[in-house]
Amino acid sequence: MNQPSVKQYLIKGGTWAFAGKVASLIMGLVLSSFLARLLSPEDMGAYFLALNLATFFSIFSRMGVDNSLQRFVAEALGRGQPHVACTIIRKGLTLTLISALLVAVVVYLWVGPWVNQHLFTSERLGNSISFVSFWLILLTFQNVFTAVFQGAQQIQKAVIVNGLLTSSVATVFIAYYLMVKGQALLSEVLLWILIAGGCNILFALLALMNNKTISNKSVKKNKSVGYIGLISHSWPLLVNAIMMFTLSQSGLWVMGAFASDAEVASYGAAIRMVVLTSMTLVIVNIILPPLIVHLHADNQKERLEKVLRSTATIAAIPALAVLLCYIFLGGWILEIVFGEHYRAGATVLMITSLGQVANVLVGSCGYVLVMTGHNYLIMFISIASSVIAFTGSLLLVQSYGSTGVAIGYTFAMLVQQLAMLLFARYRCGVWTHILGMRYLVLIVRERFRLRSRNEYK
């Protein structure tokens, strides 16, 4: 990419990513707020556990193929080979379909009932295992389609598929239930959410089939990544995704094992609000991966580092503002969004937000490692961090409850982010963390100087 195209892509992609992610986040919070008023705290706790399990099992059915597709599609299109990209996408979707069906059957027949019986012992969750099995299939394809569109630099489609359409349709359904009936069973809520997810996958499939950029009707032979190569590249990313989930979300498991459904609901509500802290980095990570692939392939390290650190700095400003709000107004915010019962999650919200802010401050170091082929390295970092998180939370939960769980996972996240930052510098030759004040002043001076020269000429 030349300089104008990089700037144009960042501006256009960033605008779409920002608008779409903000809309998706608002709709998600509105949906959670409606559900908190439609369901009892006990049902809401079971809902959070069901969503958590569906998300976790969907990681296995994706097999890391989503991240592999994102990289290989970006590389193929960057070389001007849309037919290769199309072949890779077909192979990835075929693998995903087979694995998703297998995982869903295993979860429905064996794993889901066993987990609920030996870990959570929640009657409400036990009755929802069939919904979890269907839900994980929808979440699997949601992530895979999102990765394909991101690799093709079609950010508008990626943000629509990655939760915006699902949460919007589900919010309409749930709002109707809230206004007409005032209350609902957990099974009714899950059914409407599955319908909304089905609408999302149908939209993604139609958008992909009618896509001129990554479709090619020619039948000429081409060299592309085979099934074995795709699996070989993906399995370390699968392990990394599992460990990343364990690091960020499995605190809900610990709470489900040691606390009541009502306490799980408070913890789950706080975790849902934490996403606001890292929203800007999520937006950045939607648009950066293809750019990382192109600039790294062209060995433009200085330019890549400038882009990474500049975007991290921009992302950090609103993240710090949200953190301050949570520190001083966390309980009040939870009560406004979810209801009085959920005010108890204020301390968890503050602690976990600190970890997410650290994540924003170091920037997109994890994506740099993934997009440059350091799959095994990031896998080992994630395994070590997840062990620290899980062990720490188990040691602290019985004495300090949800606060102890939050402390354990926040500490592990700090360790993980520092390790990825240092390895991104050591292995890829770039820093990804935010710019210091000295660098910001130099950048402002340089831009002012260039502008003055242009005006003088």
Side-chain angles (χ1 to χ4, degrees), residues 82-97:
H83 52 283
V84 174
C86 185
T87 302
I88 293 172
I89 291 170
R90 285 176 184 155
K91 292 176 180 178
L93 290 177
T94 301
L95 286 175
T96 301
L97 178 61

Side-chain angles (χ1 to χ4, degrees), residues 11 26 49 62 75 103 112 114 140 142 158 181 193 214 222-223 226 250 267 274 290 332 344 357 388 435:
I11 294 172
I26 292 174
L49 286 174
R62 296 200 308 266
E75 288 181 346
V103 172
W114 185 91
T140 297
Q142 173 180 303
K181 292 190 174 182
I193 289 177
I214 50 182
N222 54 74
K223 291 184 178 181
S250 63
Y267 183 90
V274 169
W332 178 78
V357 168
I388 294 172
L435 296 167

